[in-house]
Amino acid sequence: MSAEGAAVRRRPFGFQAKVLALLALALLATLAATLVVVNLAVDRAVGDRLDHDLAVGERVWESYYTTRRDQLSDSVAVLADDFGFRAAVATGDEATVVSALANHGQRIGASLGLLLDPGGDVLASDLGGSRAGQSSALSPLHARAERAGSAAGVVVLQERLYLMAMVPINAPTRVGWVAMGRELDDAFATEFLGLAGLHLALARDGGRAAHAIDASSLPRASRLALAQAAPLREPAGGRTSLDLAGAGFALLPTVAHGDSGAVRVLLLASRDEVVAPFRRLERQIIGLSAAAALLALIVAAVIGRGVSRPVAQLAQAARRIETGDYHQPLPALGRDELGELAVAFNRMQASIAEREQQILHQARHDGLTNLPNRGQALIEMQALIERARGRASDTACAATSCAVIMLDLDRFKQINDTLGHDYGDEVLVMVAGLLRGALRGDDLLARLGGDEFMVVLEDVDTAFALERARALVQTLRAPLRLSDTQVSLDVSVGVSMYPEHGDTPDVLLRRADIAMYEAKDVHAGVMLYQTDHDEVHLRQLTLVADLRLAFSQDELSMVFQPKVELASGRVAHAEALIRWAHPHFGWIRPDEFVPLAERTGLIHELTRFVLDRSLQQQQRLWLDKGMDIAL
């Protein structure tokens, strides 16, 4: 072997080694550059995802809170509009009021119920503790309700947060306020976590120690760490990163002003959960890039470009979803992990859109029967009235009337009290099904609350509306076969017509309600609203409130009508008659106020009054004077 050949073999850095070394350096540089690009893209995508999740969560929170607040307000308004409850409040029947608060609170899932006098002092409450303290805590909410007619907001009672709604009780003048609330506790926060996928924490502003967190869906360790975090003590703008008990979170603080001071709403997204899939993707990208770079720099560049494009698409899709656009899916990225990520991203987008639709549906429909609730029914009634007005302006169309039919189940409370609320709910569901089957496809059917249903018939006259109302009564009077028993129902129905009896949903609904109560009073089944019966209804409410006071204010009196024996000319008998001299209405006929006494339970006190006064007349005046007159 020549010396030149031996030198070639001994040369440690020949041309081939240099090429390999340069290629290795190029591969390392490519891998390093790819890693930097991917990390930057992942960090940007994670940040966009967290911002998006928190922004969506904030909108979901606003919708969720507003929905719960409005549902609570509507439910409390139903109780305040209940005739029996108003009569009990007006007459000071505390036992009935407390029972109604408990029953209604159980139906709507409220944590507590209170009755306040017109000045805002608590008269009845199912929450222990000082009523004076409760009155003080509710005073800001009461002040807002006085200004706006009703109010709802966050209130602190006995160191607990409550979402409270306060509605006036008018009979017809204001006789008090009814307030009901749901506690904003850990269960409330956990419910939001299941809905929005974000942790929720509630704290009164200026959080100081671990107990500053009033409600949270976080684990105990993270909750304790959150209580000591700086964003609780100082307002923070935008997203803030936190390390809570070893877990990374992104926090978005929001301040909601309650009636007992500011309440901080904290939305927390787990950064670790968001980063995890991107880290897996990052490792896959590095592996794919290394394999491709071993073949050629060009292949590595192509792979790097192919990897960065999906991440950019994810970031673009995140920004699009942040604006509220959920309808454009992410294009398919293949069948590998990137494709699975795209499918998961599209599924997440569809789930968020579906949850928002569910929230809107729950806000507009009754949860038991899935019928439109009062708020939605009023909106749809307004649309029907607008169509009727449009038909009225068309000379080729003569039928422009709409009929509002109010149905109330008689003695439904007896079913709840005797069989239980589960059977009562089953009855309501069956009644809703019967009504659906008995109506036309375009007729509006809604449940207004309790055992009250409403039907709106479009493009009908009065005769047809009354005929359909009587047919509905006959349908509901058929025996209902429940799971293990059978019940028979009776129903009272009131009918009002557009435009004869009103041209707004509120007026038509109120006058159908008046007609329904008239039907209930006379057991007529179906009644058509009669003009000027609003005044009669208001007069009855006033008389019910004033009748109890009539005993103590000596407004009731007795007169005695003699009966003479024709044969002897002697007064042998006398008929006792009661009279009421009302300070405002003058003399009230017995056939007007006696039925009201029977309806409100005052008939027993009225009977005792008649017996006592009659026996005093017979014993003290007649018998003492030797007058033997049968009474």
Side-chain angles (χ1 to χ4, degrees), residues 64 168 340 353 369 411 524 579:
Y64 178 74
E340 294 177 1
T369 62
R411 299 180 300 279
R579 294 292 183 265

Side-chain angles (χ1 to χ4, degrees), residues 159-495:
E159 297 302 318
R160 294 184 179 179
L161 291 178
Y162 290 92
L163 176 60
M164 298 289 298
M166 184 176 294
V167 176
I169 306 171
N170 299 319
T173 60
R174 185 164 299 168
V175 296
W177 299 85
V178 58
M180 305 195 85
R182 176 183 177 182
E183 184 178 356
L184 303 182
D185 53 8
D186 290 352
F188 178 86
T190 303
E191 182 180 350
F192 179 82
L193 171 63
L195 178 67
L198 295 177
H199 285 284
L200 173 69
L202 301 175
R204 277 163 284 168
D205 203 8
R208 293 66 50 195
H211 64 272
I213 304 298
D214 294 284
S216 173
S217 59
L218 291 169
R220 177 176 175 80
S222 297
R223 176 173 180 162
L224 293 176
L226 178 63
Q228 305 297 334
L232 287 181
R233 296 190 292 269
E234 299 177 0
R239 170 168 57 89
T240 303
S241 296
L242 292 176
D243 186 359
L244 303 179
F249 286 89
L251 180 143
L252 181 66
T254 302
V255 176
H257 294 284
D259 287 278
S260 297
V263 176
R264 191 175 295 279
V265 180
L266 305 172
L267 304 178
L268 299 102
S270 174
R271 182 179 181 87
D272 297 341
E273 293 178 1
V274 175
V275 169
F278 288 98
R279 291 307 180 199
R280 290 195 299 268
L281 178 62
E282 179 182 8
R283 291 192 294 269
Q284 294 165 0
I285 292 174
I286 293 174
L288 292 174
S289 299
L294 292 173
L295 298 176
L297 293 175
I298 297 177
V299 176
V302 171
I303 293 178
R305 181 187 176 192
V307 171
S308 61
R309 185 172 56 227
V311 176
Q313 289 176 335
L314 286 173
Q316 181 181 3
R319 289 189 293 269
R320 175 174 47 78
I321 293 177
E322 184 180 3
T323 64
D325 180 10
Y326 306 118
H327 304 292
Q328 181 180 351
L330 194 68
L333 303 177
R335 298 182 179 180
D336 57 6
E337 289 79 358
L338 293 177
E340 294 177 1
L341 181 60
V343 172
F345 195 92
N346 289 334
R347 190 181 298 115
M348 178 198 68
Q349 175 179 271
S351 298
I352 293 174
E354 182 180 358
R355 283 196 294 269
E356 287 195 358
Q357 290 299 320
Q358 289 175 351
I359 292 173
L360 292 175
H361 182 82
Q362 292 172 358
R364 298 171 179 172
H365 290 76
D366 172 50
L368 180 64
T369 62
N370 203 32
L371 295 176
N373 58 20
R374 178 182 291 271
Q376 182 64 19
L378 291 176
I379 294 175
E380 297 188 24
M381 281 179 64
Q382 185 63 45
L384 292 177
I385 290 174
E386 294 298 332
R387 288 202 296 269
R389 287 172 179 163
R391 290 196 302 271
S393 63
D394 184 1
T395 57
C397 183
T400 60
S401 296
C402 296
V404 178
I405 301 176
M406 174 77 74
L407 302 97
D408 183 84
L409 304 181
D410 296 338
R411 299 180 300 279
F412 179 73
K413 184 177 183 298
Q414 297 177 2
I415 296 177
N416 276 336
D417 294 342
T418 304
L419 301 178
H421 290 285
D422 290 341
Y423 283 95
D425 290 346
E426 187 177 354
V427 168
L428 292 176
V429 172
M430 295 183 69
V431 167
L434 291 173
L435 291 175
R436 283 195 192 96
L439 296 175
R440 302 175 301 181
D442 55 350
D443 294 335
L444 172 61
L445 172 62
R447 182 189 176 200
L448 303 184
D451 57 349
E452 288 187 347
F453 293 83
M454 182 192 71
V455 174
V456 181
L457 306 179
E458 185 178 9
D459 196 11
V460 297
D461 57 17
T462 302
F464 181 81
L466 292 175
E467 178 184 351
R468 294 301 302 144
R470 296 187 185 100
L472 292 177
V473 170
Q474 294 302 318
T475 298
L476 296 182
R477 283 177 176 173
L480 296 180
R481 185 171 299 279
L482 305 181
S483 55
D484 56 359
T485 187
Q486 179 174 295
V487 297
S488 295
L489 298 177
D490 203 354
V491 62
S492 298
V493 177
V495 181

Side-chain angles (χ1 to χ4, degrees), residues 110-130:
S111 305
L112 60 89
L114 307 97
L115 174 66
L116 298 85
D117 65 16
D121 291 329
V122 175
L123 299 177
S125 170
D126 53 13
L127 181 67
S130 168

Side-chain angles (χ1 to χ4, degrees), residues 583-631:
H584 176 70
F585 297 116
W587 291 100
I588 309 298
R589 295 171 53 87
D591 58 358
E592 182 178 4
F593 70 83
V594 170
L596 294 178
E598 292 176 343
R599 185 189 307 167
T600 59
L602 290 175
I603 190 64
H604 303 293
E605 190 172 352
L606 193 65
T607 301
R608 286 192 296 270
F609 175 85
V610 171
L611 291 175
D612 289 343
R613 292 295 178 91
S614 299
L615 292 175
Q616 290 174 8
Q617 177 75 16
Q618 185 184 45
Q619 176 67 33
R620 294 181 180 179
L621 298 179
W622 297 343
L623 294 181
D624 290 349
K625 293 181 179 181
M627 300 171 60
D628 185 11
I629 300 177
L631 185 63

